[in-house]
Amino acid sequence: MTPEESIALAEIQQHLARCAQAGDARRADAYANCFAVDGVLELAHETIRGREAIRAWMTAPSVIPAPADGTPGFVSHHLTTCHVEFTAPDEAAARTYWLVTSVVGLDHNGFYRDHLRREDGAWRIAHRRPRTLWISPASVLHRG
């Protein structure tokens, strides 16, 4: 790995962490800014194209319901193994595993397939495809 790739790897890992935290906190601007202007978020049943559409999607009401006791609902993504491969000087592909906790404990897990590129001097997600591998029967995703 070149010194430039080592620096880029650290930048990408920090970027992915910022994206997870912004998404969990439903900070629409911060989350959308993790994506390239023409970035794509390819969900299981919906594909969202462009940073502004991603911002609008994140601004919509959360699909995570509050518990019956009235306390706020939450999900917390914990990024684990992340493999980054540089495909060009300003492009990379990453596969990052994640675990999600919620009020029920371990809620679900899976991985992201990301294609990233440097845009305006910063790494951005050009295409993200999350895949869920397991969902707890008690998951907050089954509520509401």
Side-chain angles (χ1 to χ4, degrees):
M1 181 173 288
T2 68
E4 293 80 13
E5 288 175 336
S6 293
I7 291 167
L9 176 61
E11 291 172 349
I12 288 169
Q13 289 173 333
Q14 284 294 96
H15 183 76
L16 296 175
R18 274 192 302 277
C19 186
Q21 291 174 358
D24 287 345
R26 309 262 328 146
R27 293 190 325 262
D29 289 337
Y31 186 80
N33 287 333
C34 292
F35 288 81
V37 170
D38 62 349
V40 174
L41 177 58
E42 184 183 340
L43 304 173
H45 302 292
E46 177 181 15
T47 299
I48 305 157
R49 299 181 185 280
R51 184 183 291 158
E52 292 311 312
I54 292 167
R55 183 184 327 276
W57 175 79
M58 181 55 74
T59 304
S62 174
V63 298
I64 305 302
D69 66 6
T71 60
F74 75 92
V75 295
S76 180
H77 287 72
H78 302 268
L79 304 182
T80 62
T81 308
C82 179
H83 177 77
V84 176
E85 182 177 329
F86 293 97
T87 56
D90 290 330
E91 295 182 13
R95 182 175 170 134
T96 307
Y97 287 89
W98 44 262
L99 302 167
V100 174
T101 59
S102 71
V103 296
V104 302
L106 183 56
D107 198 281
H108 56 287
N109 74 346
F111 63 92
Y112 296 121
R113 283 198 184 268
D114 292 323
H115 294 279
L116 301 106
R117 71 170 178 260
R118 202 182 307 263
E119 182 178 270
D120 298 326
W123 287 97
R124 310 261 188 219
I125 299 169
H127 189 273
R128 169 167 275 188
R129 188 173 147 203
R131 288 295 177 250
T132 301
L133 298 174
W134 172 82
I135 300 174
S136 167
S139 170
V140 297
L141 298 177
H142 292 298
R143 298 182 189 172

